[in-house]
Amino acid sequence: MPKTLHQPSGPAAIRSKGLNKPGRGLLFYLYRDRYLYLFLIPAMSYFFLFKFVTLYGELIAFKDFRLLDGVWGSPWVGLKHFHTLFESADFWNVLRNTLLLNLYNLVFAFPAPILLALLLNELRVNWFKRAVQNMLYLPFFISWVVLAGIIVSLLSPSTGVVNAALRLFGIDPVYFMTSTLWWPVVFIVSTIWQSAGWGTIIYMAAISSIDPGLYEAAKIDGATKLRQIWHITLPGIRGTIGVLLVLQMGKMMDVGFEHIFNLQNAAVFSVSDVISTFVYRTGLQNAQYSLATAVGLFQALIGLILVLTVNKIVKKLGEGGLW
């Protein structure tokens, strides 16, 4: 009896047929899919202009940059600005603050969207589920200028709602925004409030791709909700968690400027001065462009090393990683 081989269908069949034909190189496929590649032009133009062309400016980290001489006309000074940077006590303070705030983000803010997605997935009343989702997404679309104003008003020791509630229990007002102990807590909670709802979109999409038959089989076997979450839902979104963890590690040296700048004040400067505010103060306010660029270059280099390392660890654990 002659054997019948399984023939691929769909896109795989089209690709295999095309690749087997001789004389069809890269130009053939570029021409064939030319309309699809047109969609790439805006994104590629953005990255080329704002991510690659601007690399030219990184040269001033190795020069004593003067506006009148330009980038090429300014004299080379080697690693002088990096030495200045590493000998500065201010830099080590902002580096410590940046790493600590990002570590808090990693421990508390990173798992928050996962937890929210798991809870939303268990809601069975659709209108209530959609209402909760919309309420959670809303802060993401509000600027940090507005959000910081709301936070300061809520935490005000004289007129804030939070301190009014504390007074009802006989607790003295807490100066959240001027306390070096409470300010990092406010920063992390505000991060979760602003971004956790938006992050749940990705995890909800990943959860929706899990085969419902697995849950039905688990129910027949008598698995509780927690068992289903632990053995089906979490393994189903493990790859997504790995990818987002790699992306998060790329931001370990970058807390963000707007968030910090709008919540920062002189009383908590020792715990709120981070690399982004240091670059702003050094580069724009003090016009030390070369030193500020050296800080940015150091920040990017450490971020790249962290991304490469964590991506390799994630792949070692059996997930796909970023590439």
Side-chain angles (χ1 to χ4, degrees), residues 44 104-105 112 117 150 168 170 200 213 217 242 257 271 274-275 288 301 307:
M44 290 180 70
Y104 298 151
N105 269 335
I150 295 172
L168 292 177
T200 56
F257 179 74
V271 296
V274 295
I275 288 179
Q288 294 177 290
L301 182 63
V307 167

Side-chain angles (χ1 to χ4, degrees), residues 152-161 163-164 167 173-175:
V152 170
S153 299
L154 290 175
L155 299 178
S156 169
S158 55
T159 59
V161 175
N163 274 307
R167 274 194 292 271
V174 179
Y175 292 77

Side-chain angles (χ1 to χ4, degrees), residues 5 24 40 111 153 231 241 304 317:
L5 298 176
R24 291 187 171 181
L40 283 175
S153 299
H231 293 288
I241 295 173
L304 176 63
L317 293 174

Side-chain angles (χ1 to χ4, degrees), residues 204-246:
M204 289 294 287
I207 290 173
S208 66
S209 66
I210 298 173
D211 183 4
L214 295 175
Y215 293 102
E216 295 299 326
K219 286 178 187 173
I220 293 171
D221 289 341
T224 61
K225 281 290 180 189
L226 285 178
R227 286 285 181 189
Q228 291 175 35
I229 291 171
W230 184 255
H231 293 288
I232 298 174
T233 311
L234 283 176
I237 62 173
R238 193 171 57 185
T240 306
I241 295 173
V243 170
L244 293 181
L245 179 63
V246 174

Side-chain angles (χ1 to χ4, degrees), residues 82 85 91 95 98 102 250-256 274-276 279 292-306:
F82 291 93
L85 189 65
F91 173 71
L95 181 62
T98 306
N102 271 315
K251 301 176 184 174
M252 279 300 284
M253 298 292 287
D254 182 16
V255 182
V274 295
I275 288 179
S276 54
V279 169
T293 307
V295 178
L297 199 57
F298 172 76
Q299 183 183 19
L301 182 63
I302 299 298
L304 176 63
I305 292 171
L306 287 173

Side-chain angles (χ1 to χ4, degrees), residues 30-31 47 59 69 151 169 171 173 175 178 199 218 250 263 273 288 297 311 316 322:
L30 287 176
Y31 180 76
F47 279 99
L59 285 175
D69 295 331
I151 291 166
F169 294 97
I171 301 173
Y175 292 77
T178 56
L263 291 179
D273 191 22
Q288 294 177 290
L297 199 57
N311 188 63
K316 286 281 185 186
L322 270 182

